[in-house]
Amino acid sequence: MQADYQQLKAFVSSVFESIGCPAQDADLAAHVLVSADARGIDSHGVARLAGYVRLYDNGRLNPKPQIRILHESPSTALVDGDRGLGLVVAPKAMEIATEKAAMAGTGWVAVQNSNHFGIAGYHAMKAVEKDMIGWAMTHAAPLVTPTFSREKLLGTNPIAVGIPANEEPAFLADFASTAVAYGKLEILQRKGLDTPSGWVQDKDGNPCNDAFAIKNGGALLPLGGDREHGSHKGYALGAIVDILSGVLSGANFGPWVPPFATAGFMQAGETVGNGTGHFLGAMRIDAFRPADAFKDDMDKWIRRFRAADAVEGKKVIIPGDPERELEMIRMQEGIPLLDPVVADLKGLASRFSIDFKIA
């Protein structure tokens, strides 16, 4: 099924309003969510909508949060998300970061008491729009083993960095610190396919190709897959994200990060902090050098890397290129939705008495 972007966004917004979100917050959350689908990151788009509703059903999501600053300095802030949608909390935290960067040169915001915030790249790009370098990261429920571990202690813990250019599109690196995001496993589960090697291990710590490995006691692997391929580096990246998002913010961290409505479990267990955490930053370019000169040099950087001598049949791309190119196509031709996702959306439409007109 192909869905029109605007119709899909309106439907998602209606669902968020149906659970009590104010219209402005519902529209923002829908924009963040459907932007993932438009950019080809289907694992973090409307396939997650039913999960947010389950968070609400389980009393873990406050549809009308009072987002507030708990502590701040001229260039930093600690924000309490009041159990709100991370899709709303994170953009507001990034707005605080860019406001501080406008005054102090850089702005850094740690967030506690939030929920899943969608694709990290969306939040990093909000700083790019203001001639700033944007940073966004978040931790997640423990589905990932540290190198050599059989115990799940970390989340997929993504990092995004957005950097503006002049004539060229912005550089946007947005990646999990694991071999793959859990949402990619969900897609394979819906399609009845196995995973590539290096993505998961079974409950005994052995490499496997079972898309249901986590539900069967296994785990996701850090970026690199195994020690010989650099999994210790993926483990370190995930740990950094967890410390900045959780330990620094006062949110839960490590194995205590509460689960999203995924992987077959819902209830948060023992806690050591306050909800889920994020870490966002903005760096004003002209706090370092004239912005136009920097962006001109970024154009040169991007063009030189694109012009790299590539292996036969391949081309060198810039981080953010595939998603940007796919977004141009999907905004014109529509967003493809898998049958199980359509079934979930129809179920929400029935529950909340919303017309399902997204094709």
Side-chain angles (χ1 to χ4, degrees), residues 244-264:
L244 292 179
S245 299
V247 182
L248 184 62
S249 73
N252 291 290
F253 49 83
W256 297 285
V257 177
F260 185 60
T262 187

Side-chain angles (χ1 to χ4, degrees), residues 26-108:
D27 184 72
L28 172 58
H31 180 56
V32 178
L33 203 63
V34 182
S35 290
D37 292 293
R39 293 178 61 80
I41 312 173
D42 301 333
S43 59
H44 284 60
V46 296
R48 293 288 181 98
L49 180 59
Y52 291 104
V53 175
R54 286 196 292 273
L55 286 179
Y56 169 76
D57 288 340
N58 280 265
R60 289 181 44 210
L61 174 65
N62 177 8
K64 297 178 180 178
Q66 299 298 312
I67 301 167
R68 61 195 178 99
I69 296 174
L70 298 178
H71 179 77
E72 64 181 323
S73 76
S75 62
T76 64
L78 172 63
V79 167
D80 185 331
D82 194 24
R83 296 184 301 111
L85 279 165
L87 304 167
V88 172
V89 175
K92 294 185 178 181
M94 180 54 91
E95 184 176 349
I96 294 170
T98 56
E99 288 173 352
K100 287 186 173 294
M103 298 297 295
T106 65
W108 303 94

Side-chain angles (χ1 to χ4, degrees), residues 4 9 22 50 67 101 121-122 149 186 191 201 208 229 247 273 357:
D4 175 77
K9 177 175 173 289
I67 301 167
Y122 177 94
S149 174
E186 292 178 310
K191 293 181 176 180
Q201 67 181 32
C208 70
H229 293 92
V247 182
K357 295 179 180 178

